[in-house]
Short mmCIF file of all heavy atoms in Angstrom, two decimals:
data_model
loop_
_atom_site.label_atom_id
_atom_site.label_comp_id
_atom_site.label_asym_id
_atom_site.label_seq_id
_atom_site.Cartn_x
_atom_site.Cartn_y
_atom_site.Cartn_z
N LEU I 11 -22.63 -24.71 -38.45
CA LEU I 11 -22.20 -23.53 -38.95
C LEU I 11 -23.19 -22.32 -38.81
O LEU I 11 -22.68 -21.22 -38.49
CB LEU I 11 -21.91 -23.76 -40.36
CG LEU I 11 -20.64 -24.55 -40.76
CD1 LEU I 11 -20.67 -24.89 -42.28
CD2 LEU I 11 -19.39 -23.96 -40.24
N SER I 22 -19.93 -9.55 -32.80
CA SER I 22 -19.77 -8.33 -33.68
C SER I 22 -20.66 -7.29 -33.32
O SER I 22 -20.34 -6.09 -33.32
CB SER I 22 -19.72 -8.71 -35.13
OG SER I 22 -19.67 -7.58 -35.94
N THR I 34 -13.88 5.00 -25.63
CA THR I 34 -12.64 4.59 -25.10
C THR I 34 -12.52 2.95 -25.09
O THR I 34 -11.61 2.33 -24.64
CB THR I 34 -12.39 4.98 -23.65
OG1 THR I 34 -13.51 4.51 -22.82
CG2 THR I 34 -12.41 6.48 -23.54
N LEU I 66 -29.88 5.96 -49.10
CA LEU I 66 -31.09 6.36 -48.33
C LEU I 66 -30.69 7.36 -47.16
O LEU I 66 -31.56 7.92 -46.59
CB LEU I 66 -31.79 5.27 -47.83
CG LEU I 66 -32.34 4.23 -48.87
CD1 LEU I 66 -33.13 3.09 -48.16
CD2 LEU I 66 -33.29 4.84 -49.74
N ASN I 68 -27.66 8.09 -43.90
CA ASN I 68 -27.04 7.47 -42.74
C ASN I 68 -28.13 7.38 -41.59
O ASN I 68 -28.01 6.54 -40.74
CB ASN I 68 -25.88 8.17 -42.21
CG ASN I 68 -24.77 7.97 -43.20
OD1 ASN I 68 -24.60 7.00 -43.91
ND2 ASN I 68 -23.82 8.98 -43.21
N SER I 114 -18.11 -10.75 -48.80
CA SER I 114 -16.73 -10.65 -49.48
C SER I 114 -16.59 -9.27 -50.08
O SER I 114 -15.50 -8.76 -50.06
CB SER I 114 -16.71 -11.68 -50.69
OG SER I 114 -16.94 -12.99 -50.16
N LEU I 121 -10.48 -2.98 -47.42
CA LEU I 121 -9.11 -3.31 -47.36
C LEU I 121 -8.36 -2.01 -47.15
O LEU I 121 -8.77 -0.99 -47.68
CB LEU I 121 -8.70 -4.15 -48.60
CG LEU I 121 -9.02 -5.56 -48.62
CD1 LEU I 121 -8.64 -6.14 -50.07
CD2 LEU I 121 -8.43 -6.36 -47.64
N MET I 124 -9.17 -5.02 -41.47
CA MET I 124 -9.80 -6.30 -41.44
C MET I 124 -10.20 -6.57 -40.08
O MET I 124 -9.65 -6.13 -39.15
CB MET I 124 -8.83 -7.36 -41.85
CG MET I 124 -9.52 -8.62 -42.37
SD MET I 124 -10.69 -8.22 -43.70
CE MET I 124 -9.63 -7.36 -44.80
N PRO I 126 -11.07 -9.79 -37.49
CA PRO I 126 -10.97 -11.24 -37.32
C PRO I 126 -12.40 -11.87 -37.18
O PRO I 126 -12.48 -13.00 -37.71
CB PRO I 126 -10.21 -11.40 -36.07
CG PRO I 126 -9.33 -10.21 -35.87
CD PRO I 126 -10.16 -9.02 -36.52
N VAL I 139 -22.17 -22.48 -47.48
CA VAL I 139 -22.60 -22.62 -48.82
C VAL I 139 -22.21 -23.99 -49.40
O VAL I 139 -23.10 -24.79 -49.98
CB VAL I 139 -21.93 -21.54 -49.63
CG1 VAL I 139 -22.15 -21.80 -51.14
CG2 VAL I 139 -22.58 -20.09 -49.40
N THR I 151 -30.52 -36.94 -55.17
CA THR I 151 -30.35 -38.34 -55.63
C THR I 151 -31.41 -39.28 -54.91
O THR I 151 -31.55 -40.49 -55.35
CB THR I 151 -28.96 -38.81 -55.03
OG1 THR I 151 -28.76 -38.55 -53.75
CG2 THR I 151 -27.83 -38.03 -55.90
N SER I 160 -39.31 -40.49 -49.04
CA SER I 160 -38.18 -41.23 -49.69
C SER I 160 -38.43 -42.54 -49.86
O SER I 160 -39.06 -43.18 -48.86
CB SER I 160 -36.82 -40.84 -48.85
OG SER I 160 -36.54 -39.51 -48.85
N ASN I 169 -26.19 -61.30 -56.03
CA ASN I 169 -26.06 -62.15 -57.14
C ASN I 169 -25.26 -63.45 -56.77
O ASN I 169 -25.00 -64.38 -57.58
CB ASN I 169 -25.33 -61.66 -58.40
CG ASN I 169 -26.39 -60.57 -58.96
OD1 ASN I 169 -27.52 -60.55 -58.78
ND2 ASN I 169 -25.70 -59.58 -59.71
#
Side-chain angles (χ1 to χ4, degrees):
L11 289 170
S22 176
T34 61
L66 302 174
N68 289 332
S114 299
L121 285 175
M124 206 54 56
V139 168
T151 59
S160 297
N169 286 336

